[in-house]
Amino acid sequence: MNGNFLIRTFGCQMNEHDSERIGGMLRADGMTPTDDVADAGVVVLNTCAIRENADNRLYGNLGHLKPLKSRNPDLRIVVAGCLAQKDQGLIQEKAPWVDVVVGTHALPHLLDLLRRAEADGPQMDVAEYTELFPSALPAAREDAFRAWVSIATGCDNACTFCIVPFVRGAQRSRAIGDVLAEVQGLARSGVVEVTLLGQNVNTYGRDLTVPESSRRPLFAELLRRVNEVEGLRRIRFTSPHPHDFTPDVIDAMAESEKVCEHIHFPLQSGADAVLKAMQRSYRRERYLGWLERIRAAIPRIGVSTDIIVGFPGETDRDFADTLDVVERARFDSAYTFQYSPRPGTRAASLPDQLTKDVVQERFDRLVALQERISLEKAGDQVGDEVEVLVEGAGRRGGSTQARTRTNRIVHLADPLEPGTFVTARITGAAAHHLAGEVVPAAVPA
Ligand code: 5AD
Ligand code: SF4
């Protein structure tokens, strides 16, 4: 196809990764990316279903596209991602001007679907299969120096609040050799940082039949193998689940020099009763115990988390328990969410759904507490000299945004080439970023 395409991505890194593949397929087909919707022949909305406002945003966006489509009937509108998988036929019922609905498993069929839409009108593929990992499709990556690598899709857990198992299916791990081959290829093409992606990386490999492994999780082994890839400098991964976390993963992290000192470790709630109702099998003390072990093995590791406020039945006591764990865990950062009932999940039909006011008030208190801790933890870093990877231009002219191995953003005053490593001295701290200056490389005597 000729012309321009525009992709809007909502949601998590899994979706960002899928969008790179959508862009890759469209480019391979002869199209060019554009930022201007008026200029686009194909508009793709890659949707997320995890929280409430995702639905509203999709239908809002589709509303805005309707007059464009009336003016230009050749415009092709595609809805992809988790909401496509969840809402299926409802999307074209509500917005008949959508040309293609492509579910999470059917991504490799996108170009065919567009062609068929051309000839036969609106198309939908939400079949429940994954023939190909999205990583096997061509990619149009945003940056030449870093890449996401999918190691598993889907999730075998059944957290009662979560829609992911419904829209992404059961866990399917990618063969270790395939992951390694992709990372090696990326490193050869100049990528210095990879982020390994899975809903629950600890159970990676459980569904693979590997001789002599008897369904043993293989994540620690995968980390060690990726660590050996030449040319690569940084390895990140997201996310582990505290339930399946194992000491061999801590050892592999500590002993693999390319694995960054950062872990995203979703807490969800600090109250045992709520964790139980969420069907998260760990409890608060066990969670804190894991954190202690991780920090003992990897001193000064950056820790981020996810927390949901206002799960059905959450009492004032329960919420106080969450604040208490947050106080004790001292996260560097937290993604905080107000509970939103997702249709079809167990939690959506629980009694005791809380009112918006109660949830908002608790949410504000949690955010204020975490902001204080984030700022204190950032302040601890002032004076440090650390390696940072330059990611791109900063907000002020001539400035640069870089990232520490511990996943903190550092603003530098100098213009630097994205993808390069420099040493930065930390000179200032805010809750969500650091300020730094470049330490000139020592001149050999
Ligand atoms: N309501 C609010 N937050 C949710 N999350 C997942 N499902 C819901 C929901 N129904 C949050 C969890 C998860 C993150 C990606 O999104 O904290 O870890
Ligand atoms: Fe959802 Fe729980 Fe699976 Fe994460 S582990 S994707 S929260 S069901």
Side-chain angles (χ1 to χ4, degrees):
M1 283 211 292
N2 295 318
N4 299 326
F5 68 87
L6 181 147
I7 304 174
R8 282 207 188 121
T9 310
F10 307 91
C12 66
Q13 284 134 326
M14 210 64 80
N15 265 18
E16 300 272 354
H17 179 264
D18 284 350
S19 284
E20 289 183 343
R21 307 295 145 166
I22 294 170
M25 286 188 279
L26 294 171
R27 269 184 206 244
D29 206 41
M31 299 195 78
T32 318
T34 176
D35 292 333
D36 182 3
V37 66
D39 199 31
V42 173
V43 174
V44 181
L45 304 176
N46 192 10
T47 62
C48 167
I50 215 155
R51 283 177 292 277
E52 202 141 40
N53 55 10
D55 307 38
N56 303 339
R57 270 172 86 184
L58 169 67
Y59 292 105
N61 267 286
L62 288 176
H64 288 137
L65 290 173
K66 189 179 179 191
L68 274 183
K69 175 82 177 177
S70 317
R71 255 178 282 144
N72 172 16
D74 291 337
L75 173 67
R76 295 284 164 259
I77 300 174
V78 179
V79 178
C82 293
L83 211 50
Q85 194 69 40
K86 173 174 142 308
D87 278 5
Q88 309 198 342
L90 190 66
I91 295 175
Q92 279 153 329
E93 231 170 80
K94 281 193 181 173
W97 56 95
V98 170
D99 298 279
V100 173
V101 172
V102 56
T104 50
H105 305 275
L107 216 49
H109 298 180
L110 175 64
L111 296 180
D112 278 349
L113 289 164
L114 276 168
R115 276 200 184 70
R116 274 194 264 146
E118 203 83 28
D120 306 327
Q123 300 291 318
M124 175 170 82
D125 188 344
V126 289
E128 304 270 337
Y129 51 73
T130 298
E131 292 159 7
L132 276 179
F133 271 93
S135 295
L137 299 169
R141 284 199 314 275
E142 203 148 293
D143 301 308
F145 60 90
R146 60 176 167 180
W148 283 298
V149 174
S150 157
I151 63 167
T153 59
C155 179
D156 289 342
N157 287 323
C159 302
T160 53
F161 54 81
C162 188
I163 191 106
V164 167
F166 297 88
V167 291
R168 295 262 174 186
Q171 173 172 294
R172 288 199 45 203
S173 303
R174 209 170 153 208
I176 235 177
D178 286 355
V179 176
L180 282 173
E182 185 182 1
V183 176
Q184 281 156 354
L186 289 166
R188 270 197 299 275
S189 71
V191 166
V192 287
E193 176 181 294
V194 291
T195 303
L196 308 177
L197 283 182
Q199 297 295 347
N200 179 4
V201 295
N202 301 120
T203 51
Y204 166 76
R206 217 189 241 172
D207 53 312
L208 291 176
T209 324
V210 178
E212 293 162 40
S213 86
S214 68
R215 294 164 57 84
R216 177 168 65 86
L218 296 168
F219 187 59
E221 184 175 332
L222 181 70
L223 280 181
R224 291 182 193 274
R225 301 276 294 274
V226 175
N227 191 56
E228 285 163 15
V229 173
E230 226 168 283
L232 201 63
R233 298 270 299 263
R234 288 183 169 188
I235 301 166
R236 300 185 182 281
F237 59 88
T238 194
S239 300
H241 188 310
H243 161 53
D244 301 294
F245 207 66
T246 45
D248 63 329
V249 172
I250 304 182
D251 294 343
M253 289 177 73
E255 289 161 22
S256 305
E257 74 285 353
K258 293 174 188 166
V259 175
C260 288
E261 294 77 21
H262 169 245
I263 189 165
H264 185 69
F265 207 49
L267 169 67
Q268 310 300 6
S269 169
D272 284 350
V274 176
L275 287 170
K276 185 156 188 262
M278 287 176 164
Q279 258 181 61
R280 308 263 306 174
S281 64
Y282 57 91
R283 297 293 173 259
R284 51 188 273 130
E285 292 306 328
R286 178 131 157 258
Y287 180 94
L288 288 165
W290 275 124
L291 265 194
E292 223 169 275
R293 286 175 77 164
I294 294 167
R295 284 181 166 137
I298 309 163
R300 310 205 66 181
I301 186 171
V303 182
S304 53
T305 197
D306 289 342
I307 302 170
I308 298 177
V309 177
F311 187 81
E314 182 189 76
T315 63
D316 280 331
R317 261 307 284 282
D318 292 332
F319 180 64
D321 279 352
T322 295
L323 293 180
D324 177 59
V325 172
V326 168
E327 190 78 69
R328 287 163 65 191
R330 296 192 62 74
F331 300 114
D332 293 84
S333 65
Y335 298 89
T336 43
F337 305 106
Q338 302 192 6
Y339 169 73
S340 128
R342 307 284 68 214
T345 58
R346 289 258 304 274
S349 53
L350 286 176
D352 284 341
Q353 304 278 331
L354 303 188
T355 64
K356 172 83 188 149
D357 292 355
V358 170
V359 179
Q360 186 69 47
E361 190 271 334
R362 289 181 188 169
F363 181 79
D364 292 344
R365 275 198 284 153
L366 173 65
V367 169
L369 169 62
Q370 182 54 47
E371 288 281 300
R372 192 200 85 212
I373 296 170
S374 293
L375 184 60
E376 286 168 5
K377 294 213 62 173
D380 291 345
Q381 327 225 345
V382 173
D384 286 359
E385 285 187 11
V386 290
E387 176 204 86
V388 295
L389 171 58
V390 177
E391 294 189 338
R395 257 171 277 146
R396 244 173 279 135
S399 72
T400 291
Q401 184 174 304
R403 196 177 292 269
T404 65
R405 286 173 60 96
T406 55
N407 210 33
R408 288 250 179 204
I409 289 172
V410 182
H411 292 300
L412 300 166
D414 321 65
L416 298 163
E417 191 60 32
T420 53
F421 289 92
V422 293
T423 302
R425 182 179 303 114
I426 305 304
T427 54
H432 303 288
H433 69 264
L434 302 169
E437 57 192 25
V438 176
V439 180
V443 183

